[in-house]
Amino acid sequence: MTAGAPYRSFRGIFVVAALLPIGAVGCSGLSDAVDSAKDGAKTVARQRSVFSLDIGDCYNPTGKATETAYAVEIVPCDEAHEGQVVGEFAIDKGKEYPGEDGVSTIADNRCPAEAQKYAADTWALPKGVALFYYTPTKESWATGDRAVSCTYTAEKGTFSGSLNTAKTLKPEQHTYLKGSNAVYEALWANQPEKDTVEDDLAGYKAQAKAVTAALDTHIKGMDGIEGTETGKLRTALTKAAGNWKKAANAADADAFYIAYDSAFTGIDPNKSVAARKELGLATTVPADEAEVWAS
C-alpha cells in the first residue's frame, strides 16, 4: 500500500503489543550478496496487504516494530513464521468508529472464541505463542474497513507448521474441547475488576454463575464420551459445579470464600491430564495456566 494509505492496528489480547521486526542479517562476499538478493526478492514477492489476510495464512510482519501495519509477508506454513491467522470477523456496531479502546474490547471478547474454531486445543499450541489481532484504525474505518483478524503470534522467535487442529479432531475430542474451553472462558471473561470479594460480591457471584452454567454444559457433553479417566473427570467436575453453584448463591463474602476455594481447585487443569491422554489430546498444561493454579 502507498504511504498515507489506511493501515491496521496490531494488538494482543488484554495487552498492547508491538509488531515483531524482521532482523536483517549482514552478508559478506558475492555468494552471500546473491543469496541475500534472492531472499529479498522472495520476500517482496510474498508481500500482501494486511487487509487481505485470510484464516489459515501464515505470515511475518514487515517493516520496523510498530503498532500499525500496511503489509505482511505471507509464507508457507511449513516454513518458520511469526504468526498465523486463526479467526476473523466483522465489527457491526454502528457507523461511527468505536474508538481504539472500543475496537480492542470487541476483539478481546471475540477473538478467543473465533480462534478456538480453528485451533481448538490450546494446549497443543507451540510454546511462546499468544493471541493477538489486527483491527481497523480510525483511518481504515473511514474507508469501510470493519474486519478483525485474530492471530496466534510468537512473542519471541518463530514457529513452524499450521495451528489448524480443528479439522483433525474426532467428534468426542471436539465435544470435550468445546466444553472445556467454555469453562475457562467463562472464568476469565467474567473476572471482576475488584481484587477482593468484599469490594464486589455481586461481581464475583456473577462470575461463579457463569462458570456453573459452562460446567453444566461441559458435563452434559461428556455424558456420551466413553473412557475410565473421562468418567472420573466428569465426576470431579460435577462436584466442582456444585461448589461453583454454592459460590454463586453465597449470602455473604465469607460463604463465598468457603465455596470458592473448593470450586477453583476443582477445575485445576492438571486434573484433566489423564482424561486428555485417554482422548488423544495434548497433555502439557500451558505454563500460564499451570502458574495460576500453582499459586
Side-chain angles (χ1 to χ4, degrees):
M1 300 180 72
T2 58
Y7 49 86
R8 305 193 76 194
S9 181
F10 183 62
R11 295 177 179 274
I13 294 294
F14 304 125
V15 295
V16 175
L19 278 171
L20 302 174
I22 300 175
V25 180
C27 300
S28 61
L30 179 61
S31 178
D32 287 344
V34 171
D35 288 342
S36 178
K38 288 181 178 179
D39 290 342
K42 183 167 66 175
T43 296
V44 170
R46 291 174 168 180
Q47 296 296 298
R48 297 290 185 276
S49 165
V50 72
F51 296 96
S52 67
L53 284 171
D54 291 322
I55 295 176
D57 283 347
C58 294
Y59 71 93
N60 290 313
T62 59
K64 298 180 179 179
T66 177
E67 291 177 9
T68 59
Y70 295 89
V72 294
E73 176 196 5
I74 302 298
V75 302
C77 290
D78 58 1
E79 291 185 13
H81 53 273
E82 296 181 35
Q84 182 176 16
V85 182
V86 293
E88 61 183 8
F89 64 91
I91 298 175
D92 56 6
K93 293 189 67 174
K95 296 182 180 180
E96 297 296 325
Y97 178 60
E100 189 173 304
D101 290 341
V103 169
S104 293
T105 297
I106 294 170
D108 283 343
N109 292 333
R110 288 283 303 275
C111 272
E114 295 299 326
Q116 286 169 10
K117 296 176 184 178
Y118 188 84
D121 190 357
T122 56
W123 289 29
L125 293 172
K127 185 178 180 180
V129 169
L131 195 55
F132 288 74
Y133 48 78
Y134 285 97
T135 58
T137 59
K138 184 176 182 179
E139 291 81 0
S140 69
W141 185 276
T143 69
D145 180 25
R146 300 291 186 273
V148 174
S149 298
C150 310
T151 83
Y152 272 118
T153 301
E155 296 181 288
K156 291 182 179 180
T158 60
F159 62 96
S160 299
S162 173
L163 303 179
N164 186 5
T165 56
K167 68 179 181 180
T168 61
L169 291 175
K170 298 176 181 177
E172 63 271 22
Q173 292 174 320
H174 176 77
T175 297
Y176 173 83
L177 289 172
K178 182 179 179 180
S180 178
N181 289 340
V183 169
Y184 296 104
E185 178 64 18
L187 176 67
W188 301 125
N190 293 282
Q191 181 72 19
E193 294 184 4
K194 300 293 184 179
D195 292 334
T196 64
V197 177
E198 289 84 354
D199 290 333
D200 188 9
L201 177 60
Y204 280 90
K205 288 174 65 174
Q207 180 193 41
K209 183 178 180 180
V211 174
T212 301
L215 272 171
D216 287 343
T217 300
H218 184 29
I219 293 166
K220 185 177 181 180
M222 293 174 69
D223 279 344
I225 302 178
E226 298 181 355
T228 301
E229 296 301 333
T230 303
K232 290 179 181 178
L233 178 60
R234 184 183 181 281
T235 298
L237 291 179
T238 299
K239 182 178 180 180
N243 288 319
W244 279 104
K245 187 175 182 179
K246 290 179 181 178
N249 295 323
D252 53 38
D254 287 343
F256 182 92
Y257 280 123
I258 293 172
Y260 184 83
D261 184 56
S262 297
F264 191 76
T265 302
I267 60 171
D268 182 342
N270 289 285
K271 296 183 176 181
S272 66
V273 170
R276 278 178 156 268
K277 182 177 181 180
E278 186 174 69
L279 288 167
L281 297 169
T283 56
T284 300
V285 181
D288 54 349
E289 294 184 32
E291 183 178 354
V292 169
W293 269 267
S295 61

